Each structure stands twice: as C-alpha cells, then as structure tokens.
Amino acid sequence: MTPESHSPTGTDPGLAPPPGCPAHGRGPGGLRRLYGPEAEDLSSLYEQLRDEHGPVAPVLLHDDVPMWLVLGHAENLHMVRTPSQFCRDSRLWTPLLDGMVKPDHPLMPHIAWQPIASHVEGDEHLRLRGAVNGAISTIDPRGIRRHINRSTQRLVNRFCEEGTADLVSQFAEHLPMAVMCEILGMPDEYNDRIVQAARDMLRGTETAIASNAYIMDALGRLTARRRAQPEEDFTSYLITHPARLTDDEVREHLRLVLIAAYEATANLTANVLRMVLTDPRFRAQLSGGQMTVPEAVEQSLWNEPPFSTIFAYFAKQDTELGGQRIRRGDGLLFGIAPGNIDPRVRPDLSANMQGNRSHLAFGGGPHECPGQDIGRAIADTGVDALLMRLPDVELECDEDELTWTESMSSRHLVELPVRFAPKPPQDVKLKPGHTQLPPPREAWRIGTRRPEQAPVARTAPQPVVTPPQPPAPTPGPARRRGTWRWLLRWWRGR
C-alpha cells in the first residue's frame, strides 16, 4: 500500500508544475515559498495566499519544507488557545521525523525543541512557566523605567551634539539590549557585538548558528556566576525559584527572554518612532495631548507587529482549521502580521485602533508572552524620553525613501535618519532626588522668591511731627439705639 503523503496539500512534493503553468517558478506541488526571490514582498504574498486558500494556506519553508501559514485572526486565536489540538513541541513534526529538516537548517534555532516553557505542556509547563513568571514578578516597574530613561539618555548623549542621527542603528537596536542586560544581571556584556549577534540570529543567515553560540556562551557564564553568588536580578531569582531549574533550563530561558524581548522591542521602538515622524495625525495628536505614547505603541502593534510570524505550532491529532484538513504532525506558522489585518476584523485598515488590545502581537493562550509589559515599557518610556530630549526631531529624508529588511519572522526598518538642533549631553550619573534643593521660602510667602534688595543706609532718627487734629464734631441730639446695634457694639468691645 502506498503511504499517505505528509505534504499539506496531499500532493507529491516532487511533482513540479509544467512550463507555462501560472504556478511555474513556485516550489514543489505549486506551493508558494516564504523565502527567496518569490518572497521579497511578504505583505503582498500573504494577501495572495489569502485570496487563493482562505484563512489557512499551504506554504514552503527553506529547503522546501512544507508548512501551513495561518492567516485568519480567529483561526490564529483558536490555534494558540486550544492546547488539546495544537502544541509547540517540534518533536511531533513529521518533516523533522522524516529527515527533511537537516541539523543545519537556517530556522533550526527557532524550531528545535528545547527545555523551555514555550515548548512543553502539562505539569512541566506549569513548573517552568511558574519560574519565569515568578522571576518577572520581582522586577520593579518604577526601577525598570528609571533604567530605561537612563539608558535612553546615554544613547542620546552619543549623538545629541551632532544634530543628526540614525534612530534605528543608534537607538532602537541598542536600547532594548542595554535594558535587558541590566535586567538579567549582565550589564558588562552589553556592547555592539551582542547587539549584532541578536540581530543575526533572527535573520536566519548562514552565520545564525555561530551567533547563537556567542549568545549562549555569555548566558552560560552568567548562569555560573549567579549559581555561585545570587544577586538582586532576574537570573538569580530564576535560579533560586522553588521550581529548581537546571543550568540548561536556566540558560535556555535566559536566551528566550533576552532574544524575544530584544527583537520585539527593537522593532516596536523603531516602528513607533517612524509613525510619530511620518504620520502627521499621530505627531499632531501627541503634541496636542490627544494621544499618549503608549497609545501610539498599541496602534503600532496592530499595524506593524514586531514579529510577523512565530515558529511554530504542531498538530497533535487530525483536525480541521480554516477549511483545511490538518493532519497529525503538520506544522503551522502563527501568522501575527496577516492575522492583524484580517479583513473580517479590520475592514478599514485606516481606522484608529486606540484602546483595542485584541491584536496578536503578544500571542495568546498558555504561551502568551509573559514579558509584554516590559516590552511596552521600554518602547513607550524610551520614545517619550527621546522626544523630550529632542522635541524638534524630524525625518531627514522622504518617507518613501525608507527601506526594510523582511523575513518570515519579522520586518525590520533599515534606518531612520533624523535631524534636530544640536543639544548638550546630560549627566546620566546623577540619580533622581540627589539634586541641590533651592533655599526655603519664608513661611508666609507663596510663589517665587522676591529678589534680594540692597540694604538701606541707616540715618539719625528724625523728630516726629504730629499733624494737627481736626476739631471734634459737635455732638448732636442723641438717638435711641436699636437692640441689634447695641448687641453688635457690645460684641466688638465698645
């Protein structure tokens, strides 16, 4: 008996469409690729897939590995909120079991199973997720915002005197890493090299595996230090949590937290800055007080989510999703970007989404992002602090000259050149509350202090001249006082 095909469409992946066919130039089985020249404009590709297949479409990953892409908003939510049918355990993935996915696959750092909360289920998920949530709960929101503000001031100090800057490479790509290194307890590891390694890992390039090794080496050294001597940081609380994570589990969770938070927040920060600088509606609303920076952040999470797709969910059983037959072992991409613009939930993409947090940017269900509030804080506090330092900042090129690098996982703004009036650097070492206080005012005075007056020269006392008093009035006929007037005069002591 011929074994059943595991291709998402049920066709033989080795059959290519004949020359002249409209599908010529696609992958095996006529499926569209999410990589290579055919996927240079993923936004348009998503809409073509939606028109051809509906809310769930068959696609191909690198090396023509078959996968489902979930395009619908409701279908994505159903997938992430139904752990009885879909999970994050790639050990169920049929192409991996059949040897189609090689160890050096560019997406292996994202797909390979790891002992982390986002890849396990049941009691093990509760144990690992509980440790992560417990460590996150120890982070002081006010303290984090102070770190974000100080890191923002340090970064702005590097270019504030020049009057020009690239807010992507000089700000958005550095701020999240500086803050996350502080949170994890390794501020000395923050440098340009670790920023570049984090960016490279998520691009799926040929050097992605080497960049991953660099990150893991830094996290391994951090784990060893904190295991020997815990301090007041996220890593120490993760190690000392009652869940008793092993060193491998600690390192993998640190990697997950660091990379996910970095990439998401770097993209989010850049997107919010671009929105403020290029869309006159948002700049006018921010300046007029009608929209806060956090509200601009939420709008950006709808229009340009930090992650376009998430790798990946896997079917635990034969099921149906979006009109497609999903077989046990099939892989499905969590389609955040296409789901956020599903015409069934957003028929008018120009409509304002203020106050609406039903976007897919932070996932949902058991694996919803536990650090989303930290990401929001980095973006809105950092952008707000930068705009306070550079209130006259404006884009130095036309909006249509901006470019992006795009992959399946994210869409990253290449640069955001701006100009502004040069500003002097600020002292970032001065802690809040340690500034010199002004001298106290007199107890009776309200408002600003009166300027000091020159002392008046003392002179000899002059004789007092008493002016003549007018003659006393002639008493007239006495009038009878009323009782009330008498009582009033008595009260006044007269």
Side-chain angles (χ1 to χ4, degrees), residues 2 13 40 76 132 153 181 185 213 224 247 280 298 307 370 383 432 440:
T2 304
E40 290 181 354
N76 273 297
V132 173
Q153 305 309 328
C181 285
D247 284 355
E298 294 303 320
F307 287 115
V383 171

Side-chain angles (χ1 to χ4, degrees), residues 64-77:
D64 289 339
V65 176
M67 180 72 77
W68 293 102
L69 173 60
V70 185
L71 302 161
H73 188 276
E75 288 74 18
N76 273 297
L77 285 179

Side-chain angles (χ1 to χ4, degrees), residues 283-350:
R283 189 62 182 263
Q285 286 178 310
L286 282 169
S287 301
Q290 298 177 13
M291 170 178 277
T292 63
V293 174
E295 288 172 339
V297 168
E298 294 303 320
Q299 183 72 34
S300 179
L301 289 170
W302 272 105
N303 296 341
E304 296 177 296
F307 287 115
S308 301
T309 61
I310 294 293
F311 301 92
Y313 280 76
F314 306 94
K316 299 169 65 176
Q317 60 188 26
D318 289 355
T319 185
E320 183 273 339
L321 184 67
Q324 301 283 8
R325 180 186 177 189
I326 310 298
R327 296 188 177 119
R328 184 182 186 278
D330 280 355
L332 303 95
L333 296 178
F334 177 31
I336 299 173
N340 274 358
I341 59 173
D342 186 343
R344 294 174 297 175
V345 296
R346 290 187 69 187
D348 180 9
L349 295 180
S350 64

Side-chain angles (χ1 to χ4, degrees), residues 85-103:
Q85 296 179 349
F86 305 97
C87 69
R88 296 290 310 279
D89 190 345
S90 62
R91 293 174 296 183
L92 300 177
W93 194 20
T94 299
L96 183 64
L97 298 177
D98 290 347
M100 291 184 65
V101 182
K102 306 301 181 183

